């Protein structure tokens, strides 16, 4: 989390920049979400899928996917005047998870993208954030042709902690992605405030 003070004469406002992670399984739409909401040209570290990765990358259900993120995606979105979010999309494959510890340093919270056709792929991300007490929301990316499940059904299937938000979204749509991020900021704010009050009490 970074605070940026304005240098304009007579301007006493403080700009707040919050770090948000976008995580989830392979091919779930993390790069798409960051690209859809970012107001700057997103930084992407995608490489073509190769034959060498066929034995470790499960492409069932995402047969049309030809690239993969090998480090991170980065974007920025202004939620309102004085509040910006820096978005860091994590790589989805197991062999790149060593990067998660570095990326999660200083993060306010995370969005865990889920695909109901491959719901088990987001279990590692859910476990990661739960064990590290990083607030997160689960955003179900509604793919064309996929069976639609309600938020309560997804919550039960993932065995989420009580109160963890589940929202339905379209990772391709800027407004839909922005709503997910606003929901996360609100939830993470409540969680951090509650922890602060507990520590004081």
């Amino acid at each position: 989390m970074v605070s940026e003070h304005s240098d304009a004469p007579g301007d006493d406002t403080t700009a707040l920049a919050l770090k948000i992670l976008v995580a989830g399984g392979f091919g779930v739409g993390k790069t798409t979400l960051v690209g859809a909401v970012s107001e700057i040209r997103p930084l992407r570290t995608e490489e073509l899928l190769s034959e060498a990765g066929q034995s470790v990358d499960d492409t069932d259900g995402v047969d049309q996917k030809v690239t993969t993120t090998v480090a991170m995606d980065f974007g920025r979105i202004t939620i309102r005047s004085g509040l910006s979010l820096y978005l860091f999309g994590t790589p989805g494959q197991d062999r790149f998870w060593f990067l998660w510890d570095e990326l999660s340093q200083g993060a306010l919270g995370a969005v865990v993208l889920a695909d109901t056709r491959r719901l088990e792929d987001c279990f590692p991300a859910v476990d990661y954030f739960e064990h590290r007490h990083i607030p997160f929301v689960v955003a179900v990316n509604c793919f064309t042709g996929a069976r639609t499940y309600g938020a309560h059904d997804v919550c039960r299937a993932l065995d989420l902690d009580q109160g963890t938000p589940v929202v339905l979204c379209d990772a391709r749509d800027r407004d839909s992605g922005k709503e997910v991020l606003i929901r996360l900021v609100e939830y993470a704010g409540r969680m951090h405030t509650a922890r602060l009050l507990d520590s004081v009490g």
Side-chain angles (χ1 to χ4, degrees):
M1 187 167 62
V2 179
S3 293
E4 299 172 346
H5 295 272
S6 173
D7 294 327
D11 189 349
D12 296 327
T13 60
T14 299
L16 186 63
L18 303 174
K19 181 179 183 181
I20 301 296
L21 300 186
V22 180
F26 177 65
V28 77
K30 299 179 295 295
T31 298
T32 300
L33 176 65
V34 173
V37 302
S38 181
E39 62 199 15
I40 62 172
R41 182 178 179 181
L43 168 67
R44 294 175 173 163
T45 57
E46 289 195 305
E47 296 291 342
L48 290 173
L49 291 172
S50 65
E51 291 185 11
Q54 288 180 352
S55 61
V56 290
D57 294 332
D58 180 9
T59 57
D60 286 345
V62 287
D63 302 337
Q64 304 302 314
K65 186 171 176 62
V66 295
T67 62
T68 184
T69 299
V70 296
M72 67 173 185
D73 299 310
F74 174 77
R76 185 190 71 209
I77 178 174
T78 300
I79 296 297
R80 58 172 171 74
S81 178
L83 176 60
S84 297
L85 305 182
Y86 291 151
L87 308 175
F88 292 81
T90 65
Q93 302 99 309
D94 299 11
R95 65 185 186 277
F96 295 124
W97 282 351
F98 67 92
L99 294 169
W100 284 35
D101 287 336
E102 290 293 331
L103 291 175
S104 64
Q105 291 296 317
L108 174 76
V111 173
V112 176
L113 271 177
D115 178 353
T116 56
R117 301 169 302 177
R118 298 157 51 103
L119 198 57
E120 68 280 0
D121 288 1
C122 71
F123 273 116
V126 168
D127 289 342
Y128 181 91
F129 297 122
E130 283 184 344
H131 290 153
R132 287 161 180 79
H133 305 290
I134 297 174
F136 67 94
V137 301
V138 173
V140 180
N141 193 7
C142 299
F143 286 90
T144 302
R147 182 177 172 184
T148 301
Y149 293 88
H152 181 68
D153 294 329
V154 174
C155 184
R156 284 198 311 170
L158 293 175
D159 192 26
L160 298 175
D161 290 341
Q162 186 175 5
T164 302
V166 176
V167 294
L168 307 182
C169 75
D170 181 345
R172 302 166 299 180
D173 182 77
R174 176 181 170 82
D175 289 337
S176 180
K178 187 174 180 179
E179 285 300 315
V180 170
L181 296 172
I182 291 172
R183 185 76 176 273
L184 171 62
V185 170
E186 293 173 344
Y187 174 65
R190 293 195 302 269
M191 292 292 290
H192 286 294
T193 300
R195 290 171 187 171
L196 180 60
L197 292 175
D198 284 344
S199 66
V200 171

